Amino acid sequence: MLIRYKRSYEKIAMGLLSFVPSEKELKSLLNTIRLYEEEENWQLFLWKEEDIIGIIGIEIVGDKAELRHLSVNPSHRNQGVGRRMVKALQEMIGSKYQIVPSEQTKQFYEKCLKPIADEE
Ligand SMILES: CC(C)(COP(=O)(O)OP(=O)(O)OC[C@H]1O[C@@H](n2cnc3c(N)ncnc32)[C@H](O)[C@@H]1OP(=O)(O)O)[C@@H](O)C(=O)NCCC(=O)NCCS
């Protein structure tokens, strides 16, 4: 399930965000976490199954929610977590905002819109 970010999750959030290509440098990462903590239109959610294993962040601009950050703990990748996060975000905010990807999340987001390919 998606849970709203709060400061007590800062360490785990920074760990997950550090896998995102734009956040490899500590300076960018610190700037990003500050945006999510301080700006009302930047919203961050953690994905919790048994543990917290993913993160998804949006920037609200008008009636659009731009998908800024998406990351899954490497030990839990390729098990559908990324897709489940996008679907849960859609269910949570989709009636209010149109979700649009950023340059960085576009490829994966578009993959999420397609049905899962049949097993060969
Ligand atoms: C992108 C990411 C969140 C996907 O999470 P995940 O839980 O592994 O995703 P799912 O299991 O739901 O889907 C896996 C599928 O997405 C594909 N995929 C992974 N990263 C992708 C990307 N950047 N673009 C397009 N497809 C991607 C996988 O190859 C796999 O494809 P398959 O189903 O055809 O085998 C994860 O790989 C990650 O954290 N990457 C590092 C962070 C990052 O690069 N974020 C920015 C891009 S969103």
Side-chain angles (χ1 to χ4, degrees), residues 16-22 24 55 67-74 76-85 104-109 111-112 116-117:
L16 288 164
L17 284 172
S18 71
F19 296 113
V20 177
S22 63
K24 297 283 179 210
I55 199 159
L67 189 54
R68 287 277 175 187
H69 296 94
L70 189 62
S71 175
V72 170
N73 176 319
H76 295 269
R77 288 193 191 154
N78 294 309
Q79 294 167 31
V81 175
R83 256 179 194 272
R84 291 204 285 284
M85 284 200 293
Q104 176 163 252
T105 59
K106 193 164 193 251
Q107 255 192 324
F108 183 72
Y109 182 72
K111 194 178 177 99
C112 291
I116 299 171

Side-chain angles (χ1 to χ4, degrees), residues 3 13 43-44 63 74 89:
I3 50 175
Q43 297 180 6
L44 193 59
D63 60 356
L89 182 75

Side-chain angles (χ1 to χ4, degrees), residues 13-44:
M14 284 178 69
L16 288 164
L17 284 172
S18 71
F19 296 113
V20 177
S22 63
E23 310 304 329
K24 297 283 179 210
E25 305 236 341
L26 184 59
K27 205 174 152 198
S28 316
L29 183 59
L30 290 170
N31 189 47
T32 295
I33 204 82
R34 191 192 56 79
L35 280 174
Y36 283 119
E37 284 178 354
E38 293 176 8
E39 302 295 327
E40 217 175 297
N41 60 324
W42 285 73
Q43 297 180 6
L44 193 59

Side-chain angles (χ1 to χ4, degrees), residues 78-96:
N78 294 309
Q79 294 167 31
V81 175
R83 256 179 194 272
R84 291 204 285 284
M85 284 200 293
V86 169
K87 186 165 175 263
L89 182 75
Q90 177 68 42
E91 283 165 3
M92 188 172 65
I93 65 161
S95 60
K96 201 164 170 204

